[in-house]
């Protein structure tokens, strides 16, 4: 495969938070010593200005700098400088996406440099699931620079049909036109093209701007059938049936009226400024036989397409997976309860259907015992936030994963969670507001997502080298390489 | 004509500014350029009305932490931080997030909806370590919560006859026990609320009357609410035999404190009003099972009282306690002879269906009623020192906020039932197979991972 190169894609508007704050007291005489000392560029004096600029906190490395000669706080002749912990830092993120993880994702999107495997940003703080699963990495043995490894995944594992391979075990989840902006969609498609993988239209139609990337765009068919046309089915190499989604398992889809602008409505063939519900379930599917009929319908419209079935994680998820396989699906896509990007009732996110961590090993084992594991691709999604989550999902038994939130964070999402209503995302990512969307452009976005994948690939390489492996596929189902920290306090 | 049960909601804005989660502070080096005002889509930043040359103080409670103003400020004069006062709200299962959620539900009566996925802890004690099931592809019973089918939230309080006997002409021979049918699986219990004023009692009573649910009141407070609510919706709590004289006509259910001599009170009550449903209030603790089986013979309803965290005297959570009780009652063949009501620790909408899954027939709302009025669920509630001044709430306000919260909770229960493909809440009772318990899931899924099967 050809690995895209890293590019430097900074975002000035994401440089607003750091762990530390540098304060300059009024006693400063603007001598400029600090500006000449600091190698990180915290202090700056513009040529011709009498006084020095306010400190650039985001560049400060904190009190640990005291061991350096150039520690500004100590060297300041008037003792006007001080460094303390930032109060803004804890206001960013949440226990699942910690501030560290958000900042690390931004940094990887900016530079394409992988984070070390022991970096705190690889773990969230939600106290369960992936956050309590760790790789049992053998001591020593860091990666040789030219370590060769393979990350591709074959998506059609049946004996017949077109061969479709993705170069990294990740593709983009469905985010509809309407839920996110066109710029976001195109940026994701561009990055998918660069990495030989896919992105997904979501349930909101197939904008013409995506057609240049059509070999890397999955058409989603969901219960509302919004924007599904014969040509959008024929255009796509993979068709994804969305039976349920992790954000709101069993509840269908929901676009609040404020985000249903005339353009969105046109694409969906709906009335502007009405709330759009996708029902649950497909009204034409009430049994596994109906489900097969559904897949057959698509096969007849586009015989070259792979069929993916996206389901959520109920108690009997393994039966659903087996049923989908026998109905003709190439890909079984499990979407766990804690993920998702769309508007969802809070009660559904926490309480309905299980987190993905429980579903993957269950389905993997069941498919293995059924003797069909090698004929079907198992894709996991829902709360997979970083490269190590991907690797853990694979070690639990998945072939690959689907991500959504991580891409949005790479585009500058701060996880404030207000994408669902009003004018939508105030940062212009998940919105169709004609004014707000201009905060982003597609080239910039595509490079940042591409950088993120590059950094992730570096982390997978690092991980593989520790286990003396050369292919991510070797990791699949290797639960013996994992350690679980939980399971003690919840004992009934 | 058949009418669907419907709750009418009206916006009930809070009387005081709710504690904001984020604090926005503008430092002195602000140059009043107004960039923040242009950038904020929520209206946090505004110019001063009296002097438009200057920026007004930021309105923190409108802030939704998008950080756009912080990032755009040319002076780096804006600081956004987590509000320590917010983090200090509540105690135990009454987390700041839950309290804020109830406040919002009580204001608008709507289901809380947000984007960008789940952002809370993976699991937690009690009900937080279980998930409800959903039906995937195969679902013959319904076509979605936005579809045509009706999901019933009705529950029945009272005994169920084991079987029905009919005479030669088809007439029913089995004497039918009396029962109360409610449109909601939650009722209000005012007995354990501290520092509650008559105006609040009246507000809760009017809300209960409007919702057609039951209101449990101590005998001594009966006179304060009886004008606001039909006696059929009031459940007086009786302590001694002489109290029975005061039970108003039309009462359908009476509760008795489990105390010395409760059996005599029951006997007297049965003799005096044979058609009234009798319940006994039990503090959950060691030996509850025995007491339940013992009382279950003579009363129709067992009302289990847990503390405000939903724990019993031994510290066990309702999640485990209820499952155990339900199972033992089923085993003994007594489950349908008794209705189980559980109260305490019901702090969020999901606790209602989860309690029912674990084996309760219905739940009581207690502290949640206060929180919907703006109460902060402080660990020690002192009269006259309430930071939210809950005790000054007028009854109309209390009624509106309570109804709104109940509507939001009912709608969320419909979401849960809808996702499971269950058409009525009565069929949810004891359906532990339609829930996933964390210890089971970890034992099943993480077998083979070091530490993963330690609990099994």
């Amino acid at each position: 495969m050809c690995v895209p190169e890293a590019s430097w894609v900074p975002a000035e508007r994401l440089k607003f938070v750091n762990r530390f704050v540098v304060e300059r007291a009024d006693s400063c005489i603007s001598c400029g010593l600090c500006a000449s000392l600091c190698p990180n560029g915290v202090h700056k004096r513009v040529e011709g200005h009498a006084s020095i600029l306010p400190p650039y906190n985001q560049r400060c490395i904190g009190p640990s700098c005291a061991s350096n000669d150039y520690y500004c706080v100590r060297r300041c002749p008037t003792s006007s400088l001080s460094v303390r912990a930032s109060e803004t830092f804890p206001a960013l993120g949440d226990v699942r996406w910690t501030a560290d993880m958000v900042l690390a994702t931004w940094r990887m999107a900016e530079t394409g440099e992988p984070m070390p495997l022991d970096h705190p940003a690889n773990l969230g703080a939600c106290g369960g699931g992936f956050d309590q699963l760790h790789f049992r990495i053998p001591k020593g043995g860091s990666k040789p620079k030219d370590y060769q490894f393979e990350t591709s995944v074959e998506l059609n594992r049946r004996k017949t049909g077109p061969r479709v391979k993705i170069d990294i075990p990740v593709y983009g989840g469905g985010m509809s036109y309407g839920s996110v902006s066109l710029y976001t969609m195109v940026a994701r498609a561009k990055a998918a093209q660069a990495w030989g993988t896919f992105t997904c239209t979501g349930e909101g139609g197939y904008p013409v701007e995506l057609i240049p990337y059509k070999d890397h765009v999955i058409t989603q068919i969901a219960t509302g059938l919004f924007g599904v046309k014969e040509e959008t089915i024929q255009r796509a190499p993979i068709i994804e049936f969305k039976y349920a989604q992790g954000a709101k398992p069993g509840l269908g889809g929901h676009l609040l009226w404020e985000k249903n602008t005339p353009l969105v409505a046109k694409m969906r063939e709906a009335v502007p400024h009405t709330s759009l519900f996708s029902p649950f379930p497909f009204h034409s599917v009430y049994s596994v036989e109906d489900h097969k009929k559904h897949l057959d319908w698509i096969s007849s419209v586009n015989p070259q397409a792979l069929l993916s079935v996206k389901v959520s994680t109920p108690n009997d998820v393994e039966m659903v997976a087996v049923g989908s396989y026998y109905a003709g699906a190439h890909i079984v896509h499990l979407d766990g309860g804690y993920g998702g990007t769309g508007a969802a009732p809070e009660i559904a996110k926490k309480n309905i259907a299980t987190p993905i961590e429980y579903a993957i090993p269950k389905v993997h084992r069941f498919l293995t015992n059924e003797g069909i594991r090698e004929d079907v691709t198992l894709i996991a999604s829902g709360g997979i936030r970083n490269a190590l989550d991907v690797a853990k999902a694979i070690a639990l038994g998945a072939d690959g994963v689907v991500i959504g939130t991580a891409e949005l964070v790479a585009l500058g999402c701060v996880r404030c969670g207000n994408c669902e209503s009003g004018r939508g995302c105030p940062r212009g990512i998940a919105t169709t507001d004609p004014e707000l969307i201009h905060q982003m452009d597609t080239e910039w976005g595509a490079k940042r997502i591409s950088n993120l994948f590059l950094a992730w690939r570096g982390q997978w390489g690092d991980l593989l080298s520790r286990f003396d492996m050369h292919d991510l596929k070797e990791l699949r189902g290797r639960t013996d390489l994992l350690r679980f920290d939980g399971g003690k306090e919840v004992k009934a | 004509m058949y009418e669907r049960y419907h709750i009418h909601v009206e916006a009930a804005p809070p009387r005081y500014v709710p504690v904001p989660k984020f604090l926005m502070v503008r430092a002195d080096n602000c140059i009043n350029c107004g960039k923040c005002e242009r950038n904020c889509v929520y209206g946090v930043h505004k110019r001063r009305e009296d002097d438009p040359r200057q920026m007004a103080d930021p309105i923190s409670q409108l802030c939704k932490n998008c950080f756009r103003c912080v990032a755009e400020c040319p002076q780096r004069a804006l600081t956004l931080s987590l509000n320590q006062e917010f983090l200090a709200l509540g105690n135990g299962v009454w987390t700041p997030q839950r309290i804020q959620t109830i406040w919002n539900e009580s204001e608008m009566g709507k289901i809380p909806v947000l984007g960008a996925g789940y952002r809370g802890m993976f699991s937690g004690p009690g009900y937080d370590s279980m998930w409800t099931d959903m039906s995937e592809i195969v679902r013959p019973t319904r076509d979605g919560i936005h579809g045509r089918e009706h999901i019933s939230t009705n529950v029945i309080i009272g005994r169920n006859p084991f079987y029905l006997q009919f005479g030669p002409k088809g007439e029913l021979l089995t004497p039918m026990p009396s029962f109360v049918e409610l449109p909601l699986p939650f009722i209000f219990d005012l007995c354990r609320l501290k520092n509650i004023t008559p105006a609040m009692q009246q507000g809760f009573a009017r809300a209960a009357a409007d919702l057609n649910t039951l209101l449990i009141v101590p005998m001594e407070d009966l006179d304060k609410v009886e004008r606001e609510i039909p006696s059929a919706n009031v459940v007086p709590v009786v302590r001694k035999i002489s109290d029975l004289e005061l039970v108003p006509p039309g009462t359908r259910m009476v509760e008795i404190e489990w105390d010395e001599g409760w059996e005599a009170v029951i006997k007297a009550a049965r003799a005096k009003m044979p058609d009234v449903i009798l319940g006994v209030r039990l503090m959950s603790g060691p030996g509850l099972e025995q007491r339940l089986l013992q009382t279950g013979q003579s009363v129709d309803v067992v009302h289990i009282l847990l503390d405000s965290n939903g724990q019993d005297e031994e510290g066990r959570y309702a999640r485990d306690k209820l499952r155990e009780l339900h199972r033992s009652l089923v085993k003994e063949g007594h489950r349908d002879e008794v209705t189980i009501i559980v109260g305490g620790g019901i702090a969020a909408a999901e606790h209602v269906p989860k309690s029912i899954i674990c084996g309760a027939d219905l739940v009581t709302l207690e502290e949640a009623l206060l929180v919907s009025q703006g109460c902060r669920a402080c660990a020690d509630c002192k009269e006259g020192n309430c930071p939210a001044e809950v005790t000054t709430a007028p009854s109309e306000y209390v009624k509106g906020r309570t109804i709104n919260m109940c509507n939001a909770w009912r709608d969320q229960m419909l979401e849960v039932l809808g996702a499971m493909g269950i058409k009525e809440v009565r069929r949810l009772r004891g359906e532990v197979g339609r829930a996933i318990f964390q210890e089971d899931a970890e034992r099943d899924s993480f077998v083979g991972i070091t530490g993963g099967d330690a609990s099994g």
Side-chain angles (χ1 to χ4, degrees), chain B residues 308-327:
Chain B
S308 74
N309 281 331
Q311 284 170 293
D312 71 359
E313 287 164 354
E314 291 173 297
R316 298 192 64 197
Y317 281 96
R319 184 192 89 129
D320 306 315
K321 196 78 194 179
L322 282 174
R323 277 194 293 170
E324 201 177 277
L325 288 176
H326 177 78
R327 213 178 306 132

Side-chain angles (χ1 to χ4, degrees), chain B residues 157 253 255 278-282 288 291-297 299-305 325 329 337-342 361-362:
Chain B
I157 304 178
M253 178 177 161
E255 286 201 341
L278 298 180
V280 67
R281 295 166 70 86
L282 283 178
L288 177 65
R291 278 183 279 163
L292 196 62
L293 291 173
Q294 185 189 351
T295 50
Q297 310 290 330
V299 295
D300 312 304
V301 175
V302 174
H303 182 162
I304 297 167
L305 303 169
L325 288 176
L329 279 173
E337 293 170 12
V338 63
T339 302
I340 293 184
I341 303 179
V342 67
D361 286 279
L362 64 158

Side-chain angles (χ1 to χ4, degrees), chain A residues 13 16 54-58 87-88 90-92 94-96 125-129 133 136 243-244 249-251 256 277-281 283 285-288 291 309-316 320 324 337-347 349-355 357-359 361-362 365 396 414-420 423-424 426-427 436 439 479-480 482-484 486-488 490-492, chain B residues 22 29 38-42 64-68 70-72 74-76 78-82 111-124 127-148 316 319-320 323 349-350 353-354 412-416 418-420 432-436 438-439 441-456:
Chain A
R13 65 197 188 92
F16 60 87
Y56 197 157
N57 294 320
Q58 288 65 41
E87 58 280 88
T88 304
L92 178 70
D94 47 71
V95 289
R96 288 191 63 80
C126 81
L133 285 168
R136 294 143 60 95
Y243 277 88
L251 300 177
L256 274 80
F277 292 100
S278 305
F280 185 88
H283 283 186
V285 178
Y286 283 88
S287 64
V288 171
H291 173 44
V309 174
K310 176 176 178 180
V311 294
S312 196
T313 50
N315 235 345
D316 56 352
V320 174
S324 297
Y338 284 176
T341 50
E346 289 289 292
I347 188 170
K349 296 180 191 171
K350 166 70 181 81
N351 300 296
I352 305 180
T354 59
E357 293 89 332
Y358 298 149
K362 207 165 132 179
R365 266 200 304 270
L396 287 175
V414 293
R415 302 261 316 140
C416 68
N418 301 301
C419 18
E420 85 293 348
R423 293 169 68 193
R427 306 186 75 87
L436 293 174
Q439 294 177 76
T479 47
D480 57 311
L482 291 171
R483 176 169 56 82
F484 180 62
K488 282 131 206 159
V490 286
K491 208 167 168 181
Chain B
F22 299 100
N29 62 339
R38 287 195 295 282
N39 273 303
C40 182
V41 296
Y42 305 113
K64 299 194 171 178
N65 80 319
C66 74
F67 292 98
R68 206 174 148 193
V70 176
E72 299 287 342
Q75 284 297 96
R76 296 180 207 122
L78 294 170
T79 313
L80 182 63
S81 56
L82 276 175
I111 301 178
V113 172
L114 275 180
Y118 178 60
R119 50 216 320 119
M121 296 302 283
F122 186 86
S123 62
Y127 289 131
D128 284 348
S129 54
M130 68 182 275
W131 294 269
T132 63
D133 197 14
M134 52 92 63
S135 294
E136 198 68 70
I137 294 169
V138 180
R139 171 184 297 180
T141 51
R142 58 176 288 274
D143 64 354
I145 52 169
H146 310 299
R148 299 173 297 260
R316 298 192 64 197
R319 184 192 89 129
D320 306 315
R323 277 194 293 170
E350 67 260 28
K354 284 183 175 178
Q412 290 177 75
M413 194 159 55
L414 293 181
E415 301 265 0
V416 172
M420 292 171 87
V432 288
R434 298 306 306 277
I436 297 107
Q438 187 174 6
E439 60 278 14
E442 281 177 1
R443 189 179 50 236
D444 292 350
S445 293
F446 291 170
V447 60
I449 302 176
T450 316
D453 44 4
S455 63

Side-chain angles (χ1 to χ4, degrees), chain A residues 4 22 30 39 49 62 118 134 159-160 183 193 204 206 296 336 339 372 388 402-403 431:
Chain A
V22 185
S30 287
H49 281 216
D118 54 357
H134 310 274
K159 308 285 174 288
T160 56
Y183 294 161
Q193 189 181 43
Y206 198 125
D296 290 347
I372 55 176
L388 282 177
V402 161
I403 56 158
T431 179

